Amino acid sequence: MTQDAATATNEPHEPTPEERTARDRVRRRATGMTHHQTADALEDAEESAGDLDAADTATRATVAEWRRITDLLFDHGGPYAPETDAYVQGQLTARRNRQAGS
């Protein structure tokens, strides 16, 4: 994977507006889904994306977020909820802190 492609994965970096929009869209869609449902959505996203190295930032972010949520739900008995997702809550806290410091 190229360095540009890596930026839309879950590697630490400041997400672009396109990445934020794509991830937010996935989180809204994933809300209430079980692991099996997110695994199906991940498979669909990967098929739609094709070659991730050649895909745009939003597409890579979409696939990365479906992967993260699917992994999160792997041993979780219930449906996905952004308000109980520690990763999402950490991102929101960091954004609020950056905005307060500006």
Side-chain angles (χ1 to χ4, degrees), residues 5-100:
T7 61
T9 65
N10 290 326
E11 296 300 317
H13 69 282
E14 184 63 32
T16 65
E18 294 82 13
E19 287 175 286
R20 285 186 185 155
T21 299
R23 288 178 177 178
D24 289 344
R25 187 175 29 246
V26 169
R27 291 169 188 164
R28 281 191 305 275
R29 184 167 166 224
T31 299
M33 287 183 160
T34 64
H35 175 262
H36 294 296
Q37 291 168 317
T38 62
D40 288 343
L42 169 58
E43 185 177 325
D44 291 344
E46 288 173 332
E47 286 176 11
S48 294
D51 179 11
L52 281 177
D53 283 337
D56 62 38
T57 301
T59 299
R60 292 189 309 265
T62 296
V63 171
E65 191 64 0
W66 278 120
R67 283 181 184 156
R68 189 190 69 76
I69 291 170
T70 300
D71 288 348
L72 175 72
L73 295 178
F74 179 73
D75 61 356
H76 184 279
Y80 178 73
E83 55 274 354
T84 61
D85 184 336
Y87 181 81
V88 171
Q89 295 307 309
Q91 283 185 326
L92 294 173
T93 299
R95 284 183 203 163
R96 283 191 298 270
N97 289 341
R98 277 192 304 277
Q99 289 171 352

